[in-house]
Coordinates of all heavy atoms in Angstrom, one line a residue:
Y1 N 111.5 88.7 81.7 CA 111.3 90.1 81.6 C 110.4 90.5 80.5 O 110.7 90.1 79.3 CB 112.7 90.8 81.5 CG 113.7 90.2 82.4 CD1 114.6 89.2 82.0 CD2 113.8 90.7 83.8 CE1 115.5 88.7 82.9 CE2 114.7 90.1 84.7 CZ 115.5 89.1 84.2 OH 116.4 88.6 85.1
I2 N 109.4 91.3 80.8 CA 108.4 91.7 79.7 C 108.0 93.1 79.9 O 107.4 93.5 80.9 CB 107.1 90.8 79.8 CG1 107.5 89.3 79.6 CG2 106.2 91.2 78.7 CD1 106.3 88.4 79.9
P3 N 108.3 94.0 78.9 CA 107.7 95.3 78.9 C 106.4 95.3 78.3 O 106.2 94.8 77.2 CB 108.7 96.1 78.1 CG 109.3 95.1 77.1 CD 109.2 93.8 77.8
T4 N 105.4 95.9 78.9 CA 104.1 96.0 78.4 C 103.9 97.3 77.6 O 104.7 98.3 77.8 CB 103.0 95.9 79.4 OG1 103.0 97.0 80.3 CG2 103.1 94.6 80.2
A5 N 102.9 97.4 76.8 CA 102.6 98.6 76.0 C 101.3 99.2 76.5 O 100.9 100.3 75.9 CB 102.6 98.3 74.5
S6 N 100.7 98.6 77.4 CA 99.5 99.2 78.1 C 99.6 98.8 79.6 O 100.3 97.8 79.9 CB 98.2 98.8 77.4 OG 98.1 97.4 77.6
G7 N 98.9 99.6 80.4 CA 99.1 99.4 81.8 C 98.4 98.3 82.5 O 98.9 97.7 83.4
G8 N 97.3 97.9 82.0 CA 96.5 96.9 82.7 C 95.9 95.8 81.8 O 96.6 95.3 80.9
G9 N 94.6 95.5 81.9 CA 94.0 94.4 81.2 C 93.6 94.8 79.8 O 93.0 94.0 79.1
S10 N 93.9 96.0 79.3 CA 93.5 96.4 78.0 C 94.7 96.3 77.0 O 95.8 96.2 77.4 CB 93.0 97.8 78.0 OG 94.1 98.7 78.2
A11 N 94.4 96.4 75.8 CA 95.5 96.4 74.7 C 95.5 97.7 74.0 O 95.7 97.8 72.8 CB 95.2 95.3 73.8
D12 N 95.3 98.8 74.8 CA 95.1 100.1 74.1 C 96.4 100.7 73.6 O 96.4 101.6 72.8 CB 94.5 101.1 75.1 CG 95.3 101.4 76.3 OD1 96.4 100.8 76.5 OD2 94.8 102.3 77.1
G13 N 97.6 100.2 74.0 CA 98.9 100.7 73.4 C 99.2 102.1 73.7 O 99.4 102.9 72.8
S14 N 99.4 102.5 74.9 CA 99.7 103.8 75.3 C 101.0 103.8 76.1 O 102.1 104.0 75.6 CB 98.6 104.5 76.1 OG 98.3 103.7 77.2
N15 N 100.9 103.5 77.4 CA 102.1 103.3 78.2 C 101.9 102.1 79.1 O 100.8 101.8 79.6 CB 102.3 104.6 79.1 CG 102.8 105.7 78.4 OD1 103.9 105.7 77.8 ND2 102.1 106.8 78.4
G16 N 103.0 101.4 79.3 CA 103.0 100.2 80.2 C 104.1 100.2 81.2 O 104.6 101.3 81.5
Y17 N 104.6 99.1 81.6 CA 105.6 98.9 82.6 C 106.6 97.8 82.2 O 106.2 96.9 81.5 CB 105.0 98.7 83.9 CG 104.0 99.7 84.3 CD1 102.7 99.6 84.1 CD2 104.5 100.9 84.9 CE1 101.8 100.6 84.5 CE2 103.6 101.9 85.3 CZ 102.3 101.8 85.0 OH 101.4 102.8 85.4
L18 N 107.7 97.8 82.8 CA 108.6 96.7 82.7 C 108.3 95.8 83.9 O 108.2 96.2 85.0 CB 110.1 97.1 82.8 CG 111.1 96.0 82.9 CD1 111.1 95.1 81.7 CD2 112.5 96.6 83.1
R19 N 108.0 94.5 83.6 CA 107.6 93.6 84.6 C 108.5 92.4 84.7 O 109.0 91.9 83.6 CB 106.2 93.1 84.3 CG 105.2 94.2 84.3 CD 103.7 93.7 84.3 NE 102.8 94.7 83.9 CZ 102.2 95.5 84.8 NH1 102.5 95.5 86.1 NH2 101.3 96.4 84.4
Y20 N 108.8 91.9 85.9 CA 109.7 90.8 86.1 C 108.8 89.7 86.6 O 108.0 89.9 87.5 CB 110.7 91.1 87.2 CG 111.9 91.9 86.9 CD1 111.8 92.9 85.9 CD2 113.1 91.8 87.5 CE1 113.0 93.7 85.6 CE2 114.2 92.5 87.3 CZ 114.1 93.5 86.3 OH 115.2 94.3 86.0
Y21 N 109.0 88.5 86.1 CA 108.3 87.3 86.5 C 109.3 86.3 87.0 O 110.4 86.1 86.4 CB 107.5 86.7 85.4 CG 106.5 87.6 84.8 CD1 106.8 88.6 83.9 CD2 105.2 87.6 85.3 CE1 105.9 89.5 83.4 CE2 104.2 88.5 84.8 CZ 104.6 89.4 83.8 OH 103.7 90.3 83.4
R22 N 109.0 85.5 88.1 CA 110.0 84.5 88.6 C 109.4 83.1 88.3 O 108.2 82.9 88.5 CB 110.2 84.7 90.1 CG 111.1 83.7 90.7 CD 112.1 84.2 91.5 NE 113.1 83.1 91.7 CZ 113.9 83.1 92.8 NH1 113.8 84.1 93.6 NH2 114.7 82.1 92.9
Y23 N 110.3 82.3 87.9 CA 109.9 80.9 87.7 C 109.8 80.2 89.0 O 110.6 80.4 89.9 CB 111.0 80.2 86.8 CG 110.8 78.7 86.7 CD1 109.8 78.2 85.8 CD2 111.5 77.8 87.5 CE1 109.6 76.8 85.6 CE2 111.3 76.4 87.3 CZ 110.4 76.0 86.4 OH 110.1 74.6 86.3
G24 N 108.9 79.2 89.1 CA 108.8 78.4 90.3 C 107.9 77.2 90.1 O 107.5 76.9 88.9
L25 N 107.6 76.5 91.1 CA 106.7 75.3 91.1 C 105.6 75.5 92.1 O 105.8 76.1 93.2 CB 107.5 74.0 91.5 CG 108.7 73.7 90.6 CD1 109.4 72.5 91.1 CD2 108.2 73.4 89.1
D26 N 104.4 75.1 91.7 CA 103.3 75.2 92.6 C 103.3 74.1 93.6 O 104.2 73.2 93.6 CB 101.9 75.3 91.9 CG 101.5 74.1 91.1 OD1 102.1 73.0 91.3 OD2 100.6 74.2 90.3
G27 N 102.3 74.0 94.4 CA 102.2 72.9 95.4 C 102.2 71.5 94.9 O 102.5 70.5 95.6
N28 N 101.8 71.4 93.6 CA 101.8 70.1 93.0 C 103.0 69.8 92.1 O 103.0 68.8 91.3 CB 100.5 69.9 92.1 CG 99.2 70.0 92.9 OD1 99.2 69.5 94.0 ND2 98.3 70.8 92.4
G29 N 104.0 70.7 92.2 CA 105.2 70.5 91.4 C 105.1 71.0 89.9 O 105.9 70.7 89.1
K30 N 104.0 71.7 89.6 CA 103.7 72.2 88.2 C 104.4 73.5 88.0 O 104.3 74.4 88.9 CB 102.2 72.3 88.0 CG 101.8 72.7 86.6 CD 100.3 72.7 86.6 CE 99.8 73.2 85.2 NZ 98.4 73.3 85.2
P31 N 105.2 73.7 86.9 CA 105.8 75.0 86.7 C 104.9 76.1 86.6 O 103.8 76.0 86.1 CB 106.5 74.8 85.3 CG 106.6 73.3 85.1 CD 105.4 72.7 85.8
T32 N 105.3 77.3 87.2 CA 104.5 78.5 87.2 C 105.4 79.7 87.0 O 106.6 79.6 87.2 CB 103.8 78.7 88.5 OG1 104.7 78.8 89.6 CG2 102.8 77.5 88.8
L33 N 104.8 80.8 86.7 CA 105.5 82.1 86.7 C 104.7 83.0 87.7 O 103.5 82.9 87.7 CB 105.5 82.8 85.3 CG 106.4 82.1 84.3 CD1 106.2 82.8 82.9 CD2 107.9 82.3 84.7
A34 N 105.4 83.8 88.4 CA 104.7 84.8 89.3 C 105.3 86.2 89.1 O 106.5 86.3 88.9 CB 105.0 84.4 90.8

């Protein structure tokens, strides 16, 4: 769980969102987050 402080690809520090990422494995068995 990660709250951002900006909405997109910038680091402007205004408003962001609470984002959830799920742990998993890719097709080669390598750990990933989505």
Side-chain angles (χ1 to χ4, degrees):
Y1 311 98
I2 303 171
T4 65
S6 63
S10 71
D12 64 357
S14 54
N15 285 302
Y17 302 96
L18 175 59
R19 301 190 193 274
Y20 283 30
Y21 300 86
R22 177 131 193 204
Y23 173 80
L25 300 173
D26 68 13
N28 297 319
K30 185 177 174 183
T32 63
L33 289 174

